[in-house]
Structure formats: C-alpha cells, structure tokens
Amino acid sequence: MVYDDLELAGEAASGEDALRLCAQVLPDVVLMDMVMPDMDGVAATRAIRRQFPSVQVIALTSFKEAGLVQNALQAGAIGYLLKDVSADELAQAIRAAHAGRATYSPEAVQALAHTMAQPPTPGQDLTARERAVLALMVEGLNNTQIADRLVVSPSTIKSHVSHILAKLGVASRTEAVVLAVRHGVIT
C-alpha cells in the first residue's frame, strides 16, 4: 500500500542512535522498539520526550506485559502497539499520534485494565515514619518502647499507630503486624 502522507525519516538500531537521529531529523513521530541494546526503548522514549517535546513516540513491540506498557506510557509514549499490527492500523496510529491522539493495541489495554483491577498492595501509602513504627510493632514493642526508641512522645506514637491501622484497614495492632509480615510491607 502507498501512504503518500507518511515519510520514513530514518532508522536507528539502538536507543542512543534514535536520540542522535532525532536531533538531526526532528521527526513528527517515532516508532520505538522497547527492547534494544544499550539504551532500552523506555529510556530512549523518556530522553526523546524530554529533549524534543514536539516529537510523539509510539511504542512498537512484541511485549504486552502490563509493567512494560505502564513504563512506556510513563516515559511519554502516546501509543503502544504490538508488532503484529497491520500496515493500515500502523499508518492510522502514526496519523493519530501526529494529531496528539493516543492509540493502544487491545492487548495493551487489556494488560492495563487487569493491572488497574488489582487491589493496591497494602501499606503503599504509609509514610517513612509510619513504616518505622510498624517495623517496631513487628518486633513486639509497645507504644512507650517505640517512643523511647524513636525519641518522641508516646502520644505521637499512638497517633502514628492509629494512622497505620486506618491505612492498612485493620482493627488492631496484631492484625497490622500480621498483614505487614504476610505482605512484606516492611523490609
């Protein structure tokens, strides 16, 4: 098929080459493989979007793992397509990216939807101080002992413990300790 409105501006074998070529050609859209030698596609996408904000990047890869999809999008990719995409679909995605519209393969959307449907890991929202208090709770220390160890007042520890219980969604110190150990909330 002929796509008169699209032009191949260059080809790069690595992320570093893609960055250099981008500086020379300043393309409208880059099709970025996620797995490359030296600098991977995520790092190259991040660098291109930082140095050339007008350049749109579409991740074009064989991998549909949710983590890779998320990393590519967080790096600034406007689209995520698998390499089995048809020429017409690819051309449409390039046009959409040029216009600032995102395009995702159904598999990428499915991977993201599955990740979003998972409940958050318990304890992600604990502050560093709350994690420290929880670690001492796991050791079996009471509020006074924790306060002495952290050189704060027992009422401060009582407040931290209340926040920890609320954030973990548990009713007691024992439940908090069990959840922390079971889910690896503290290291």
Side-chain angles (χ1 to χ4, degrees):
M1 293 209 136
V2 176
Y3 301 100
D4 293 335
D5 61 325
L6 303 179
E7 176 186 340
L8 177 63
E11 232 177 299
S14 71
E16 291 166 347
D17 288 345
L19 212 52
R20 277 192 292 277
L21 192 56
C22 242
Q24 294 169 1
V25 178
L26 199 63
D28 294 319
V29 178
V30 170
L31 300 176
M32 182 68 69
D33 195 347
M34 290 291 101
V35 180
M36 295 182 293
D38 303 321
M39 178 188 287
D40 69 12
V42 171
T45 296
R46 186 173 290 111
I48 287 171
R49 293 292 295 154
R50 189 176 327 117
Q51 292 178 34
F52 313 102
S54 66
V55 176
Q56 297 290 359
V57 178
I58 298 173
L60 183 63
T61 185
S62 304
F63 302 96
K64 57 186 173 189
E65 288 78 19
L68 191 53
V69 176
Q70 285 178 316
N71 289 343
L73 298 180
Q74 287 170 349
I78 194 167
Y80 196 100
L81 300 173
L82 297 183
K83 287 184 177 179
D84 64 358
V85 67
S86 74
D88 282 339
E89 291 168 325
L90 184 57
Q92 288 174 351
I94 293 168
R95 290 182 191 107
H98 184 255
R101 294 188 315 272
T103 304
Y104 306 106
S105 71
E107 296 87 352
V109 171
Q110 187 67 30
L112 287 174
H114 180 71
T115 299
M116 299 301 283
Q118 299 302 313
T121 305
Q124 283 183 324
D125 56 347
L126 293 177
T127 65
R129 179 58 97 178
E130 289 165 347
R131 286 182 187 282
V133 170
L134 182 57
L136 294 172
M137 288 168 56
V138 168
E139 288 182 26
L141 276 62
N142 64 32
N143 286 0
T144 304
Q145 294 167 322
I146 295 171
D148 289 345
R149 180 86 61 95
L150 297 179
V151 193
V152 295
S153 73
S155 62
T156 299
I157 297 304
K158 184 177 179 183
S159 176
H160 284 311
V161 171
S162 293
H163 291 142
I164 291 166
L165 298 181
K167 288 180 178 182
L168 295 179
V170 296
S172 71
R173 293 171 69 95
T174 304
E175 287 179 60
V177 166
V178 169
L179 188 140
V181 171
R182 183 177 295 149
H183 292 283
V185 173
I186 55 168
T187 54

